Amino acid sequence: MKLKIQKAVIFFNKYLYSPTVLLGMFWIFFFKGERFSIQKIIDARYEPELYGAAVMAVVFLTIFKHNKKNPTNKK
């Protein structure tokens, strides 16, 4: 029973949680509260803001996962 739950948690973390966090953070960094638009992404393909938002989203996910695995206990 424990193995099935563990597999479900791993599936959730790999295939659902990580992409959702990446897309959410990219949305926050790049669109800044505006509506989603494929045209805006296409128009900004040569601007560093697009790539900076993508890098910041990946860095956020990496730091978030690291802190999730190694929590600090301050007492």
Side-chain angles (χ1 to χ4, degrees):
M1 184 77 166
K2 189 174 185 180
L3 184 61
K4 289 183 180 180
I5 293 172
Q6 187 177 14
K7 284 184 179 182
V9 168
I10 290 171
F11 175 81
F12 177 77
N13 282 336
K14 275 188 170 180
Y15 300 109
L16 299 176
Y17 182 73
S18 295
T20 304
V21 169
L22 276 177
L23 289 175
M25 292 313 296
F26 177 76
W27 185 310
I28 289 170
F29 291 136
F30 185 68
F31 289 107
K32 299 175 185 150
E34 299 173 8
R35 293 184 59 134
F36 177 77
S37 171
I38 296 289
Q39 189 62 40
K40 182 175 179 181
I41 294 174
I42 292 171
D43 292 341
R45 66 181 171 212
Y46 297 117
E47 295 180 21
E49 181 181 336
L50 173 71
Y51 301 105
V55 168
M56 287 177 17
V58 170
V59 168
F60 175 81
L61 179 66
T62 305
I63 291 170
F64 191 70
K65 280 192 165 193
H66 176 73
N67 287 341
K68 194 172 171 184
K69 286 181 183 177
N70 304 318
T72 57
N73 293 330
K74 295 182 180 180
K75 290 184 179 182

